[in-house]
Structure formats: structure tokens, C-alpha cells
Amino acid sequence: MSEFTLQAIVAGDSLQLSEAFASIAAHEGDSPNQLRAQLAADIIQPFTQTPLWDAQLHAQLQPLWPLLSNAISRDDEFFCNPQHSLRSLLHTLLSGRYWYPREGKPAQQFLDKYLSLTDTCKTYLSIADDAHLDSSALQTTQQQFNDWLAGEDRRAAMLETRLCETELANLKQISAETRVIDLLNKNLAQRPLPSDVHPLISGILKSELQYWAFNKTPEELIQLPLWKSWNRLLPALGELFSTDGIEVDDQFLYQQIPLVIAELERSCEHPVNNQQPYQQLVEQLIGYLMASIQKQPLENSLFPALATSTGQSTSNTQVPYSLLKQTEQIHPGDWFIFYGEHDECLRCKLALKNPEVDQLLLVDHTGRKVMIKSHKDFALCLSTGIVRPLSAPDIQAAIETTLPAWLERANTGVQAQLLQQKQKAEQLVKALIAKQQAAAEAAAKARAEAEARMQQQLEARRAAARKAMAEARALADEQRRREAEQAAEAERLRIEQMEAEAAETIARQQMAQQAVSELQVGAWLEIQLENEKQRAKLSVIIASTNKYIFADQVGRKLAEYTRDQLQEQVALEQIKILRNGDNFEDQLAKVIRGLRRDLS
């Protein structure tokens, strides 16, 4: 029996799921139908959660969930086929999670059609016969609702697009105004200023700064010279005027007012939107500053905090960066639930999140505007639980999350069955082993006796082999001894021969040396010249250079050797001495005898 796997089941193997239920039932004792009912209840349970539905829909849907759970428990294909009709029905029912009571025809029309669909579902799902679950009436009602809902979604998308286009400009204006008001309130609210200056700041200055905040991106704005200038001026202006209970040190005034006046005059050099009103504002501020440093009486009052547009927060609201990071994770199209007073729940979709404005636009399922929140406000709502993400159960994910535990139980049951089968097989094997053991012992005894006989024969053969090997080793040793003696004798003969040859060579060299020493002019020798032997006569011996010169019979020079060369050639028998020649006395005697013959 193979192991049950989630991949095979979700790929369409409903038979394996049925076998898994049977395996769990066999191991745990419950019936397969009870197990199917438990699994179906686990799948339906996320759909029954209160936050998923408005209270009115939640009450209407409560009777439907047991019917759907019962229908799922009767059809294993629900877990194996993503296109199953019950899955499609659940997906259609999930469209109701975006609805909440709201005035207007679209909300009421959705409720009527949705309740009509749920009533049809209850009617057909309450019938026990499976054949009625896929009835044409239920499919027709569901298809009509889906077609109507698709049209409504298209209209909502168009309305949402137009709303975003309209609100984007408005949000940009509100964001610019809020930024300027935050800047003014942060530095001037509840600070003493000349009463005549109040309308100038809330009017001319606010308008001028708001113009630049609207037409510049946040990155460009903080680099704008005029904006930088007023970021330096406003904190100083809030510290230079006195009123009841607030006094400014004279030394501080003498030190700061000239710097502020100089900064105001430099600000006029920067580009402005309305030059004349802005110049008037600067001149009046300079006049009041000069009056203050001259100790002239001024009618000062606390500057009132400027009000922001509805739904806007001020910079006084401090939000930790970790909370603001949460708003970076949300995207247009995400759905949220806002919990208001008296258990009021607003189900909104984020329609607009533009990095150029610090505002978030939220709409309902019909594309109508619900509210606008700043990033700070939205982050605070998330942190306090006023707003929560509206998530929907994923049927496929729920199946893939729930089934593994059931398949583990099924595989455990399979392992238990295999263990039981293994134990029975082991018992049968033990009986068979016991039955065969006696025969095995008898066979072992016979084999032992046969092995003993074979061992004796083997030992006899081994003894004969050892004897033969000993004789062979003795013969081999004798052969090696004889070969060694022969080799020693051959070496001795070789050495003797070498010694004889060496002696002979030395003798030849000595004889050659003696023969050469005895040579006299007139000696005849046989010389090897150009592969030809010729007779030559020693004509001259030059004692100073030890040279011997030879000539032929007519006196022509044939060869010339040094004494060493001549000795070597004689030793090698390449030159043969035929006659040593006469000494001086013999030669003289011959000359005298010749003269005598001539005289006679």
C-alpha cells in the first residue's frame, strides 16, 4: 500500500482520499462518513467567522454553513477539483464580505440579490439527494448573480477611477494646506504676535507658502529658498513679542531682531507668487519688529492655531516610525474594516495611495467615497485596532493546510496495518523455521561429517604438496648454487682475460716504445695510408720536436708523425717496422766501401 500524498489528491486523485478515510476509520474506529463530516467542518469553519461578514449577513448565512459542510462531506471531488461547483459557490458567496449597510440603491440592490442567492442555496442544499446539488436552477441563479456582480464591478471600477482623478487634485490641495498649517501652528500657535499681523500670516503668508507646497514635490519644497527662509523666520518670530505673562529679555531682542529683519529683506529676493502682497507683509513685519526693539507700545495677542481640513491631522501628532512603516505595506486594492462607535463596521477598499500627497482615499464596494485618512491617522488606526485588514478564506490554501494532518493520520493507520501484517508474517516464519530446523540440523550433521572427510583428504593433499614444494625448493637452491659458481668462474675468467689483455697492451706499448727508440734514419716501415699499405723510409728525425718524417723510394714525403703518435700506431699494429736502419758507423762503413769500389 503506497503512502497518501497531498500532491496526488489536489491533482485529482479522489480515490486516494477515499482510501485515506478508510485507513483512518480502520485505525481509529470512526466511520469514514464521520471523518468526512469533521474535515468538511474544518474547511467551512473560516467562513463562519464574525469579522468576515456584516452582522446582518452573518445572521442570514448561519443556516447555510451546516448545509454546505454536509454537501462537501458527501463529495470527495471537492478536495480534488479546483473547478468543483461547491468551490465556485463558496467563491461567489465570498463577494458578500465587502457589503455593509449604507444608504443608497446599490447597497440595497446587492443585499436583495445576495439574499436571493443564499435562499436558493439553502433550498437545494437541504435536499439529501446528491443529484439535486448540481441542479440547473441553482447554477442559473448563481450565474445570474455573477453576471450582475461583474457588471456592478465594472461600474464601480469606472466610478472609482473618476473619483480618484477628482480627489487627487483635492487631496494634493489639502496636503499642501495641511503642511503649511502644521508649519505655522508648530512655530506660532499660542505665541504672542501683534494683532494686526494675525490676518497677514493666516492670509498672505499662508497663501504664499501653500502655493509653493502645492506646485513642488516634497523633495523640491525643502530645497526651495523661500521655504527654507520661513523655516528659519517662523521660530524666531514666535519668540520676539511680549504679552501678559510672557516677557522677552531686552538683550535677546537686541540680538535677534536685526537678524530676523535681515532674513525678511533677503526673502524678498526669492521668487514669490504674489509680489505686492508679500512685500506688504514683509514691510509690516519689519515695522512691528522695529517698534518692538524701540520699546514702542504694541497691541499683542496670542496667535490662534489654524484649523485643518476635515480628516486631517497636525504635526503635533507623533507617530513612531515603526507604525508609519505599516502604511508602506498596504497597496491600492487592499480591503479593510473600520470599527466605529455603536458596533458600526465600515468595509473599505484603498483606492488611492499617491506618494505626492499624504492622504489615503478609501471607497466601498460600489466605488463610492467612504473616507480620507492621512498616513499618520491610518497608522494609528492600525495600531489601536480601529482598522484591520479584511482577508478572505482561500479554499485551496485551506485544503492544503488542513489535509496534511488527516493524511498523516491515514499514513499512521497504514503503518499500523502493515505492522499487524508484519507480525502475522513473523509468526508464520517462526513456525516454518521451527519446522525446518530439525531437517537443517540433520543436514548440518551430514555436512559436518562430509566436511571432516574432505578435511582429512585436504590435509593429506596439503602434506604431499608441502613435501613436493620442499623438494622443489631444494632443487632450486642447488640450481641457484651451481649458477652462482658458474657466474663466479665466468667472472674470474673475465678478470683474468682483462688482466692478460691489459698486460699484453702494456707489453705492446713498451715494445712499441722500444722499437721506436731503436729506429734509425733509413729504417723501413709499412704504413696504412688511405686504406692502403705503403712502404716508407724514415728520412729525417727532428730531435727538438720529436718528429719523424717518412718518404717513399724516390724520396717524396709520405707521412709525418710525432714520437707519441708513432708509438701508438706501432702498438696498434697500424704501422709495422720492417727494418730499423743502420747506425752512423754502419753508414760510414758503407760510404767508405763505395768510395773504394769507385777508386778501383
Side-chain angles (χ1 to χ4, degrees), residues 169-211:
N170 186 39
L171 289 175
K172 190 175 180 180
Q173 176 67 31
I174 293 174
S175 178
E177 180 185 11
T178 302
R179 183 160 191 163
V180 173
I181 290 176
D182 286 346
L183 177 64
L184 295 175
N185 287 343
K186 176 181 177 182
N187 296 288
L188 300 181
Q190 302 305 313
R191 302 299 302 170
L193 290 173
S195 299
D196 293 341
V197 173
H198 292 190
L200 298 178
I201 292 176
S202 60
I204 297 174
L205 181 59
K206 174 177 175 292
S207 175
E208 183 65 32
L209 295 179
Q210 187 173 320
Y211 169 82

Side-chain angles (χ1 to χ4, degrees), residues 68-86:
L68 274 170
S69 178
N70 186 40
I72 293 172
S73 68
R74 297 197 303 267
D75 191 352
D76 292 343
E77 285 290 337
F78 174 85
F79 300 93
C80 308
N81 181 12
Q83 307 301 324
H84 195 274
S85 59
L86 291 177

